[in-house]
Amino acid sequence: MTNLENAVQIIVNDYKATLQSDYSDWDIHSWSDMIEAFGQDSQDVKEDVVYTLKEADIFLNDDFGLEEQDGSVITYRKLMNAVRKEMKNRGIFKKEGE
């Protein structure tokens, strides 16, 4: 598993657990609904991601990039796009009408 795949799984699992335990009765259909429900802005999300990954001994560089084993760097934007895509693919957000 690449560092990107590992980081995405850790972040998605953390958000999924939070949504299921603390926000299960909320009407959250999308990433933006989730961030609004959490009362966060993009900087708060970035801080949460850094903290969540740090707890798993995964560290982002000074530019918030994720270094792969081959030395390439995954940007924070690409990391978060992968997180949002994985959350959608797993069906973590409620469908309209649920």
Side-chain angles (χ1 to χ4, degrees):
M1 183 178 290
T2 67
N3 288 344
L4 175 62
E5 292 167 334
N6 194 25
V8 167
Q9 294 306 312
I10 290 166
I11 296 165
V12 169
N13 289 341
D14 183 64
Y15 279 131
K16 181 180 178 182
T18 301
L19 286 169
Q20 289 177 336
S21 64
D22 299 334
Y23 295 89
S24 61
D25 57 344
W26 288 55
D27 199 26
I28 298 176
H29 300 284
S30 67
W31 176 265
S32 57
D33 288 348
M34 181 183 77
I35 300 307
E36 184 177 331
F38 290 2
Q40 294 186 320
D41 62 18
S42 60
Q43 186 61 39
D44 295 327
V45 171
K46 189 179 280 187
E47 289 172 9
D48 280 353
V49 166
V50 168
Y51 179 79
T52 299
L53 292 176
K54 186 177 179 182
E55 285 191 330
D57 290 327
I58 298 174
F59 302 94
L60 301 180
N61 66 21
D62 291 340
D63 295 322
F64 299 98
L66 176 68
E67 188 171 334
E68 283 291 1
Q69 292 93 343
D70 66 1
S72 63
V73 176
I74 306 299
T75 64
Y76 177 78
R77 182 182 180 108
K78 184 173 181 179
L79 169 63
M80 295 312 294
N81 285 341
V83 167
R84 288 188 288 274
K85 182 178 179 180
E86 181 67 15
M87 291 181 80
K88 184 178 179 182
N89 289 343
R90 285 201 206 174
I92 291 173
F93 299 119
K94 294 180 179 180
K95 305 271 189 276
E96 292 293 329
E98 282 185 2

